Amino acid sequence: MTARLDAKFAALAQEGRAGLVTFLTAGDPDPATTLALLKGLPAAGADVIELGMPFSDPMADGPAIQWASMRALKAGQTLAKTLDLVRAFRASDATTPLVLMGYYNPIYVYGVERFLDEAKAAGVDGLIVVDLPPEEDDELCLPALKAGLAFIRLATPTTDDHRLPKVLANTAGFVYYVSITGVTGTVTPDFDKVGSAVARLKRHTALPVAVGFGVKTAAHAAAVAKGADAVVVGSALVEALRTSLDAEGRATEKTVPAVLGLAEDLAAGVRAAAKAA
């Protein structure tokens, strides 16, 4: 069911290092740029790719990813076009795990069954839908699992030991640990607490634990990689993209190199942590 994700995390465990999970918003600032980045990220060191499904009210995201969603929607990005990007990516990459991340409303409007069928056929490996709690598993989580897609749940510093089993019950692929309380990309986490937080999660699950929110630099990535199975970076990559755009918000010749260059730096940080261990 989660073959690509399972194979990737097994390979990372054999290598003795954490993975790098990179996030981009689909269609930001245009589909062609997103596709060029998707194709370039694995060679830049991304082990897993999260592709954001643009939404007009991304409540869990900080300003960088909110603006990315606005740019993508303004450029005409839709959920159908996001699935088209996945198909185009899979035409040349059959191995890199790709997870769609976003909110339930666009999926509900698209039609759950239709979305799951098309996502699976396109080559999506899993879903992160941040506004569906375990109490709503019948809405999307259980149908996704039945369709062969991992449903990846978020745990936070406020998810206590009483709540954790419910959060983890139907989680597959990996657990996404949100290292701060708040929205994405706004606060730097306390890296000393990451290891103990991951250890607490692992007392409840055998799944790999990826840690994100607030990781901006190679040094941050290296610090998180010491205690996690994977490091998730989103806002920093999205911000590197934004600052490369022209005055009208269009991609320039600097856009793809800026994002992939940062991904390379982050990957080097993750790998340095393994050598230092």
PDB file of all heavy atoms in Angstrom, residues 26-58:
ATOM      1  N   ALA A  26       1.814  23.452  -5.410  1.00  0.00           N
ATOM      2  CA  ALA A  26       1.563  23.175  -6.828  1.00  0.00           C
ATOM      3  C   ALA A  26       1.088  24.437  -7.550  1.00  0.00           C
ATOM      4  O   ALA A  26       0.185  25.128  -7.080  1.00  0.00           O
ATOM      5  CB  ALA A  26       0.513  22.073  -6.966  1.00  0.00           C
ATOM      6  N   GLY A  27       1.730  24.741  -8.683  1.00  0.00           N
ATOM      7  CA  GLY A  27       1.313  25.876  -9.481  1.00  0.00           C
ATOM      8  C   GLY A  27       1.889  27.206  -9.058  1.00  0.00           C
ATOM      9  O   GLY A  27       1.512  28.250  -9.603  1.00  0.00           O
ATOM     10  N   ASP A  28       2.806  27.204  -8.093  1.00  0.00           N
ATOM     11  CA  ASP A  28       3.453  28.433  -7.629  1.00  0.00           C
ATOM     12  C   ASP A  28       4.820  28.583  -8.273  1.00  0.00           C
ATOM     13  O   ASP A  28       5.697  27.768  -8.014  1.00  0.00           O
ATOM     14  CB  ASP A  28       3.607  28.404  -6.103  1.00  0.00           C
ATOM     15  CG  ASP A  28       4.376  29.600  -5.547  1.00  0.00           C
ATOM     16  OD1 ASP A  28       4.346  30.675  -6.186  1.00  0.00           O
ATOM     17  OD2 ASP A  28       4.990  29.440  -4.477  1.00  0.00           O
ATOM     18  N   PRO A  29       5.036  29.618  -9.090  1.00  0.00           N
ATOM     19  CA  PRO A  29       4.073  30.618  -9.565  1.00  0.00           C
ATOM     20  C   PRO A  29       3.340  30.181 -10.834  1.00  0.00           C
ATOM     21  O   PRO A  29       2.441  30.863 -11.289  1.00  0.00           O
ATOM     22  CB  PRO A  29       4.964  31.826  -9.856  1.00  0.00           C
ATOM     23  CG  PRO A  29       6.229  31.196 -10.371  1.00  0.00           C
ATOM     24  CD  PRO A  29       6.406  29.935  -9.550  1.00  0.00           C
ATOM     25  N   ASP A  30       3.715  29.018 -11.380  1.00  0.00           N
ATOM     26  CA  ASP A  30       3.061  28.483 -12.575  1.00  0.00           C
ATOM     27  C   ASP A  30       3.370  26.988 -12.656  1.00  0.00           C
ATOM     28  O   ASP A  30       4.343  26.516 -12.055  1.00  0.00           O
ATOM     29  CB  ASP A  30       3.549  29.204 -13.844  1.00  0.00           C
ATOM     30  CG  ASP A  30       5.045  29.047 -14.042  1.00  0.00           C
ATOM     31  OD1 ASP A  30       5.481  27.963 -14.488  1.00  0.00           O
ATOM     32  OD2 ASP A  30       5.789  30.000 -13.749  1.00  0.00           O
ATOM     33  N   PRO A  31       2.557  26.212 -13.374  1.00  0.00           N
ATOM     34  CA  PRO A  31       2.756  24.759 -13.422  1.00  0.00           C
ATOM     35  C   PRO A  31       4.106  24.332 -13.995  1.00  0.00           C
ATOM     36  O   PRO A  31       4.698  23.364 -13.530  1.00  0.00           O
ATOM     37  CB  PRO A  31       1.598  24.278 -14.305  1.00  0.00           C
ATOM     38  CG  PRO A  31       0.549  25.319 -14.157  1.00  0.00           C
ATOM     39  CD  PRO A  31       1.290  26.615 -14.029  1.00  0.00           C
ATOM     40  N   ALA A  32       4.604  25.028 -15.006  1.00  0.00           N
ATOM     41  CA  ALA A  32       5.872  24.635 -15.623  1.00  0.00           C
ATOM     42  C   ALA A  32       7.025  24.740 -14.636  1.00  0.00           C
ATOM     43  O   ALA A  32       7.907  23.873 -14.593  1.00  0.00           O
ATOM     44  CB  ALA A  32       6.144  25.501 -16.857  1.00  0.00           C
ATOM     45  N   THR A  33       7.008  25.803 -13.814  1.00  0.00           N
ATOM     46  CA  THR A  33       8.061  25.962 -12.802  1.00  0.00           C
ATOM     47  C   THR A  33       7.946  24.870 -11.749  1.00  0.00           C
ATOM     48  O   THR A  33       8.953  24.283 -11.329  1.00  0.00           O
ATOM     49  CB  THR A  33       7.972  27.352 -12.154  1.00  0.00           C
ATOM     50  OG1 THR A  33       8.131  28.345 -13.164  1.00  0.00           O
ATOM     51  CG2 THR A  33       9.061  27.534 -11.106  1.00  0.00           C
ATOM     52  N   THR A  34       6.722  24.580 -11.314  1.00  0.00           N
ATOM     53  CA  THR A  34       6.531  23.498 -10.334  1.00  0.00           C
ATOM     54  C   THR A  34       7.066  22.179 -10.877  1.00  0.00           C
ATOM     55  O   THR A  34       7.760  21.437 -10.168  1.00  0.00           O
ATOM     56  CB  THR A  34       5.042  23.338  -9.977  1.00  0.00           C
ATOM     57  OG1 THR A  34       4.554  24.549  -9.428  1.00  0.00           O
ATOM     58  CG2 THR A  34       4.855  22.222  -8.942  1.00  0.00           C
ATOM     59  N   LEU A  35       6.768  21.876 -12.132  1.00  0.00           N
ATOM     60  CA  LEU A  35       7.221  20.611 -12.705  1.00  0.00           C
ATOM     61  C   LEU A  35       8.744  20.566 -12.799  1.00  0.00           C
ATOM     62  O   LEU A  35       9.351  19.525 -12.497  1.00  0.00           O
ATOM     63  CB  LEU A  35       6.602  20.394 -14.082  1.00  0.00           C
ATOM     64  CG  LEU A  35       6.939  19.058 -14.755  1.00  0.00           C
ATOM     65  CD1 LEU A  35       6.539  17.875 -13.876  1.00  0.00           C
ATOM     66  CD2 LEU A  35       6.258  18.963 -16.123  1.00  0.00           C
ATOM     67  N   ALA A  36       9.365  21.674 -13.185  1.00  0.00           N
ATOM     68  CA  ALA A  36      10.828  21.715 -13.244  1.00  0.00           C
ATOM     69  C   ALA A  36      11.428  21.472 -11.860  1.00  0.00           C
ATOM     70  O   ALA A  36      12.434  20.759 -11.716  1.00  0.00           O
ATOM     71  CB  ALA A  36      11.294  23.061 -13.797  1.00  0.00           C
ATOM     72  N   LEU A  37      10.798  22.026 -10.834  1.00  0.00           N
ATOM     73  CA  LEU A  37      11.287  21.822  -9.469  1.00  0.00           C
ATOM     74  C   LEU A  37      11.062  20.379  -9.010  1.00  0.00           C
ATOM     75  O   LEU A  37      11.943  19.770  -8.390  1.00  0.00           O
ATOM     76  CB  LEU A  37      10.601  22.804  -8.516  1.00  0.00           C
ATOM     77  CG  LEU A  37      11.027  24.264  -8.690  1.00  0.00           C
ATOM     78  CD1 LEU A  37      10.115  25.194  -7.900  1.00  0.00           C
ATOM     79  CD2 LEU A  37      12.476  24.455  -8.255  1.00  0.00           C
ATOM     80  N   LEU A  38       9.878  19.842  -9.295  1.00  0.00           N
ATOM     81  CA  LEU A  38       9.611  18.448  -8.936  1.00  0.00           C
ATOM     82  C   LEU A  38      10.661  17.518  -9.547  1.00  0.00           C
ATOM     83  O   LEU A  38      11.187  16.622  -8.877  1.00  0.00           O
ATOM     84  CB  LEU A  38       8.224  18.030  -9.417  1.00  0.00           C
ATOM     85  CG  LEU A  38       7.010  18.592  -8.669  1.00  0.00           C
ATOM     86  CD1 LEU A  38       5.720  18.185  -9.370  1.00  0.00           C
ATOM     87  CD2 LEU A  38       6.999  18.130  -7.222  1.00  0.00           C
ATOM     88  N   LYS A  39      10.964  17.751 -10.820  1.00  0.00           N
ATOM     89  CA  LYS A  39      11.937  16.894 -11.504  1.00  0.00           C
ATOM     90  C   LYS A  39      13.345  17.080 -10.953  1.00  0.00           C
ATOM     91  O   LYS A  39      14.155  16.145 -10.967  1.00  0.00           O
ATOM     92  CB  LYS A  39      11.906  17.183 -13.003  1.00  0.00           C
ATOM     93  CG  LYS A  39      10.641  16.681 -13.687  1.00  0.00           C
ATOM     94  CD  LYS A  39      10.679  16.949 -15.187  1.00  0.00           C
ATOM     95  CE  LYS A  39       9.490  16.328 -15.899  1.00  0.00           C
ATOM     96  NZ  LYS A  39       9.530  16.575 -17.368  1.00  0.00           N
ATOM     97  N   GLY A  40      13.654  18.291 -10.460  1.00  0.00           N
ATOM     98  CA  GLY A  40      15.005  18.571  -9.986  1.00  0.00           C
ATOM     99  C   GLY A  40      15.254  18.232  -8.535  1.00  0.00           C
ATOM    100  O   GLY A  40      16.404  18.041  -8.125  1.00  0.00           O
ATOM    101  N   LEU A  41      14.212  18.145  -7.738  1.00  0.00           N
ATOM    102  CA  LEU A  41      14.394  17.961  -6.299  1.00  0.00           C
ATOM    103  C   LEU A  41      15.071  16.643  -5.908  1.00  0.00           C
ATOM    104  O   LEU A  41      15.933  16.634  -5.021  1.00  0.00           O
ATOM    105  CB  LEU A  41      13.053  18.103  -5.569  1.00  0.00           C
ATOM    106  CG  LEU A  41      12.626  19.548  -5.287  1.00  0.00           C
ATOM    107  CD1 LEU A  41      11.173  19.598  -4.833  1.00  0.00           C
ATOM    108  CD2 LEU A  41      13.544  20.191  -4.246  1.00  0.00           C
ATOM    109  N   PRO A  42      14.716  15.495  -6.508  1.00  0.00           N
ATOM    110  CA  PRO A  42      15.401  14.264  -6.100  1.00  0.00           C
ATOM    111  C   PRO A  42      16.920  14.335  -6.286  1.00  0.00           C
ATOM    112  O   PRO A  42      17.679  13.921  -5.406  1.00  0.00           O
ATOM    113  CB  PRO A  42      14.762  13.193  -6.990  1.00  0.00           C
ATOM    114  CG  PRO A  42      13.388  13.721  -7.263  1.00  0.00           C
ATOM    115  CD  PRO A  42      13.592  15.206  -7.428  1.00  0.00           C
ATOM    116  N   ALA A  43      17.379  14.878  -7.412  1.00  0.00           N
ATOM    117  CA  ALA A  43      18.821  15.005  -7.641  1.00  0.00           C
ATOM    118  C   ALA A  43      19.448  16.007  -6.685  1.00  0.00           C
ATOM    119  O   ALA A  43      20.645  15.916  -6.360  1.00  0.00           O
ATOM    120  CB  ALA A  43      19.088  15.418  -9.086  1.00  0.00           C
ATOM    121  N   ALA A  44      18.651  16.981  -6.197  1.00  0.00           N
ATOM    122  CA  ALA A  44      19.155  17.965  -5.237  1.00  0.00           C
ATOM    123  C   ALA A  44      19.221  17.404  -3.822  1.00  0.00           C
ATOM    124  O   ALA A  44      19.757  18.060  -2.922  1.00  0.00           O
ATOM    125  CB  ALA A  44      18.276  19.211  -5.271  1.00  0.00           C
ATOM    126  N   GLY A  45      18.658  16.200  -3.618  1.00  0.00           N
ATOM    127  CA  GLY A  45      18.766  15.560  -2.310  1.00  0.00           C
ATOM    128  C   GLY A  45      17.458  15.324  -1.588  1.00  0.00           C
ATOM    129  O   GLY A  45      17.449  14.834  -0.456  1.00  0.00           O
ATOM    130  N   ALA A  46      16.328  15.643  -2.222  1.00  0.00           N
ATOM    131  CA  ALA A  46      15.035  15.378  -1.589  1.00  0.00           C
ATOM    132  C   ALA A  46      14.734  13.884  -1.623  1.00  0.00           C
ATOM    133  O   ALA A  46      14.811  13.253  -2.677  1.00  0.00           O
ATOM    134  CB  ALA A  46      13.925  16.150  -2.300  1.00  0.00           C
ATOM    135  N   ASP A  47      14.397  13.328  -0.478  1.00  0.00           N
ATOM    136  CA  ASP A  47      14.063  11.903  -0.395  1.00  0.00           C
ATOM    137  C   ASP A  47      12.568  11.664  -0.563  1.00  0.00           C
ATOM    138  O   ASP A  47      12.146  10.628  -1.085  1.00  0.00           O
ATOM    139  CB  ASP A  47      14.522  11.337   0.948  1.00  0.00           C
ATOM    140  CG  ASP A  47      16.027  11.397   1.106  1.00  0.00           C
ATOM    141  OD1 ASP A  47      16.723  10.682   0.347  1.00  0.00           O
ATOM    142  OD2 ASP A  47      16.516  12.165   1.952  1.00  0.00           O
ATOM    143  N   VAL A  48      11.764  12.601  -0.112  1.00  0.00           N
ATOM    144  CA  VAL A  48      10.312  12.552  -0.244  1.00  0.00           C
ATOM    145  C   VAL A  48       9.858  13.962  -0.623  1.00  0.00           C
ATOM    146  O   VAL A  48      10.423  14.950  -0.140  1.00  0.00           O
ATOM    147  CB  VAL A  48       9.626  12.125   1.078  1.00  0.00           C
ATOM    148  CG1 VAL A  48       8.102  12.118   0.937  1.00  0.00           C
ATOM    149  CG2 VAL A  48      10.129  10.766   1.535  1.00  0.00           C
ATOM    150  N   ILE A  49       8.847  14.062  -1.482  1.00  0.00           N
ATOM    151  CA  ILE A  49       8.324  15.360  -1.886  1.00  0.00           C
ATOM    152  C   ILE A  49       6.892  15.504  -1.398  1.00  0.00           C
ATOM    153  O   ILE A  49       6.068  14.613  -1.594  1.00  0.00           O
ATOM    154  CB  ILE A  49       8.367  15.526  -3.420  1.00  0.00           C
ATOM    155  CG1 ILE A  49       9.825  15.532  -3.910  1.00  0.00           C
ATOM    156  CG2 ILE A  49       7.664  16.818  -3.845  1.00  0.00           C
ATOM    157  CD1 ILE A  49       9.952  15.512  -5.425  1.00  0.00           C
ATOM    158  N   GLU A  50       6.624  16.625  -0.738  1.00  0.00           N
ATOM    159  CA  GLU A  50       5.255  17.009  -0.410  1.00  0.00           C
ATOM    160  C   GLU A  50       4.839  18.083  -1.408  1.00  0.00           C
ATOM    161  O   GLU A  50       5.555  19.077  -1.599  1.00  0.00           O
ATOM    162  CB  GLU A  50       5.158  17.597   1.004  1.00  0.00           C
ATOM    163  CG  GLU A  50       5.300  16.588   2.117  1.00  0.00           C
ATOM    164  CD  GLU A  50       5.214  17.260   3.486  1.00  0.00           C
ATOM    165  OE1 GLU A  50       4.888  18.459   3.550  1.00  0.00           O
ATOM    166  OE2 GLU A  50       5.503  16.584   4.481  1.00  0.00           O
ATOM    167  N   LEU A  51       3.696  17.912  -2.031  1.00  0.00           N
ATOM    168  CA  LEU A  51       3.174  18.871  -2.987  1.00  0.00           C
ATOM    169  C   LEU A  51       1.885  19.453  -2.425  1.00  0.00           C
ATOM    170  O   LEU A  51       0.917  18.731  -2.196  1.00  0.00           O
ATOM    171  CB  LEU A  51       2.920  18.194  -4.339  1.00  0.00           C
ATOM    172  CG  LEU A  51       2.498  19.096  -5.501  1.00  0.00           C
ATOM    173  CD1 LEU A  51       3.575  20.140  -5.804  1.00  0.00           C
ATOM    174  CD2 LEU A  51       2.207  18.257  -6.738  1.00  0.00           C
ATOM    175  N   GLY A  52       1.912  20.761  -2.184  1.00  0.00           N
ATOM    176  CA  GLY A  52       0.759  21.418  -1.590  1.00  0.00           C
ATOM    177  C   GLY A  52      -0.368  21.617  -2.578  1.00  0.00           C
ATOM    178  O   GLY A  52      -0.144  22.015  -3.721  1.00  0.00           O
ATOM    179  N   MET A  53      -1.580  21.332  -2.141  1.00  0.00           N
ATOM    180  CA  MET A  53      -2.784  21.584  -2.936  1.00  0.00           C
ATOM    181  C   MET A  53      -3.284  22.975  -2.565  1.00  0.00           C
ATOM    182  O   MET A  53      -3.737  23.184  -1.439  1.00  0.00           O
ATOM    183  CB  MET A  53      -3.852  20.526  -2.627  1.00  0.00           C
ATOM    184  CG  MET A  53      -3.434  19.109  -2.952  1.00  0.00           C
ATOM    185  SD  MET A  53      -4.682  17.866  -2.456  1.00  0.00           S
ATOM    186  CE  MET A  53      -4.390  17.762  -0.671  1.00  0.00           C
ATOM    187  N   PRO A  54      -3.162  23.962  -3.458  1.00  0.00           N
ATOM    188  CA  PRO A  54      -3.508  25.333  -3.094  1.00  0.00           C
ATOM    189  C   PRO A  54      -4.946  25.450  -2.585  1.00  0.00           C
ATOM    190  O   PRO A  54      -5.861  24.817  -3.111  1.00  0.00           O
ATOM    191  CB  PRO A  54      -3.336  26.110  -4.407  1.00  0.00           C
ATOM    192  CG  PRO A  54      -2.431  25.279  -5.236  1.00  0.00           C
ATOM    193  CD  PRO A  54      -2.717  23.866  -4.859  1.00  0.00           C
ATOM    194  N   PHE A  55      -5.102  26.290  -1.566  1.00  0.00           N
ATOM    195  CA  PHE A  55      -6.413  26.500  -0.957  1.00  0.00           C
ATOM    196  C   PHE A  55      -6.485  27.955  -0.497  1.00  0.00           C
ATOM    197  O   PHE A  55      -5.482  28.528  -0.069  1.00  0.00           O
ATOM    198  CB  PHE A  55      -6.605  25.536   0.223  1.00  0.00           C
ATOM    199  CG  PHE A  55      -7.933  25.660   0.918  1.00  0.00           C
ATOM    200  CD1 PHE A  55      -9.116  25.687   0.200  1.00  0.00           C
ATOM    201  CD2 PHE A  55      -8.003  25.737   2.301  1.00  0.00           C
ATOM    202  CE1 PHE A  55     -10.352  25.790   0.843  1.00  0.00           C
ATOM    203  CE2 PHE A  55      -9.226  25.843   2.954  1.00  0.00           C
ATOM    204  CZ  PHE A  55     -10.403  25.869   2.221  1.00  0.00           C
ATOM    205  N   SER A  56      -7.668  28.535  -0.576  1.00  0.00           N
ATOM    206  CA  SER A  56      -7.830  29.958  -0.277  1.00  0.00           C
ATOM    207  C   SER A  56      -7.749  30.294   1.206  1.00  0.00           C
ATOM    208  O   SER A  56      -7.575  31.451   1.566  1.00  0.00           O
ATOM    209  CB  SER A  56      -9.182  30.438  -0.826  1.00  0.00           C
ATOM    210  OG  SER A  56     -10.233  29.660  -0.269  1.00  0.00           O
ATOM    211  N   ASP A  57      -7.854  29.297   2.077  1.00  0.00           N
ATOM    212  CA  ASP A  57      -7.844  29.563   3.523  1.00  0.00           C
ATOM    213  C   ASP A  57      -6.962  28.545   4.244  1.00  0.00           C
ATOM    214  O   ASP A  57      -7.443  27.740   5.037  1.00  0.00           O
ATOM    215  CB  ASP A  57      -9.279  29.513   4.060  1.00  0.00           C
ATOM    216  CG  ASP A  57      -9.368  29.955   5.508  1.00  0.00           C
ATOM    217  OD1 ASP A  57      -8.471  30.695   5.971  1.00  0.00           O
ATOM    218  OD2 ASP A  57     -10.331  29.561   6.194  1.00  0.00           O
ATOM    219  N   PRO A  58      -5.652  28.576   3.984  1.00  0.00           N
ATOM    220  CA  PRO A  58      -4.746  27.583   4.580  1.00  0.00           C
ATOM    221  C   PRO A  58      -4.404  27.912   6.035  1.00  0.00           C
ATOM    222  O   PRO A  58      -3.364  28.476   6.357  1.00  0.00           O
ATOM    223  CB  PRO A  58      -3.506  27.665   3.682  1.00  0.00           C
ATOM    224  CG  PRO A  58      -3.507  29.075   3.185  1.00  0.00           C
ATOM    225  CD  PRO A  58      -4.948  29.493   3.076  1.00  0.00           C
TER     226      PRO A  58
END
